[in-house]
Amino acid sequence: MRRLRGRTDPSTVTPDLDNANGGNAGSNQAGSVVVRMQVTKDFQWGSPFFTEKNDRTASVRKEKEGVFAMNGKQEKSYVLKMVLTAIFAGMGFALSSVVWFPNMAPFQHFINVLAAVFVGPYWGFLAALITGILRMMTGRTALAVIGAVIGAFLSGLLYRKSGGKLYMAVIGEVFGTGILSALAAYPVMKYLYGMDLQSPIFYVPAFVPSSAMGAFLAVLVITGLKRSGVFARMMDKMNRR
């Protein structure tokens, strides 16, 4: 084969693949970096692509936090009502055991109105029931229960339905105890205890003034708590208005 000097045959030139590939690789790498930077920029968390997702996630998280906070507040309110119910029951038993008259227990009705305002009809009913049972265990008749629970429940119910009007709690206690409890006590005392009662309204003259006196004392106490600001703080802690 004849060797050609000073000439370069284009057909025999070997392309520089390394340099070519390096150039292509460099251009490809630069392009990928640009694309990656663009994608990262477009899909960052603050971009419009993820705004809806972020908003939804944040709203779900806030909703969960709100539910947990609400549940915690309700649980705290529930525990506080239990504690107050036990306190009211103990106070009712202690005061009614010290100060009482025949067929009259004014401090029981005093506690009934306080319980109606602070813990509501159901817890107030429970407090009155516990007080009555404790009094029966010390030798009292069923009047200790009958004369307490109806007024306690009706007082709390009217107070709640009226939107927190104190005079409605008083009306509920006086009517519930002075009239309804007095009428309910008649058949129990006449046929169960065998007492000689001449009229179904036998207990009304004793129950009405007793419940009115106790309700009046409760109004004085609650008015004093309102003026001092304690009442509003207690109602806020129990999530009541």
Side-chain angles (χ1 to χ4, degrees), residues 94-115:
L95 295 175
S96 299
S97 298
V98 175
V99 181
W100 65 280
F101 308 95
N103 300 327
M104 298 176 67
F107 279 105
Q108 173 65 65
H109 312 299
F110 163 73
I111 296 298
N112 283 354
V113 175
L114 291 181

Side-chain angles (χ1 to χ4, degrees), residues 39-55:
V39 170
T40 304
K41 181 179 178 181
D42 291 341
F43 288 88
Q44 59 185 346
W45 286 105
S47 66
F49 292 96
F50 284 92
T51 301
E52 183 179 356
K53 182 178 180 180
N54 283 343
D55 291 343

Side-chain angles (χ1 to χ4, degrees), residues 65-84:
E65 291 176 354
V67 170
F68 291 151
M70 183 179 298
N71 290 339
K73 189 173 183 180
Q74 290 177 349
E75 183 178 356
K76 184 178 180 180
S77 173
Y78 181 83
V79 172
L80 183 57
K81 286 181 180 180
M82 278 199 309
V83 172
L84 285 178

Side-chain angles (χ1 to χ4, degrees), residues 180-216:
L180 299 182
S181 290
L183 296 177
Y186 172 79
V188 175
M189 301 307 294
K190 182 177 179 64
Y191 300 109
L192 185 61
Y193 285 86
M195 297 183 64
D196 185 16
L197 305 179
Q198 302 301 322
S199 173
I201 61 173
F202 178 83
Y203 290 106
V204 172
F207 281 24
V208 169
S210 178
S211 58
M213 185 185 306
F216 176 73

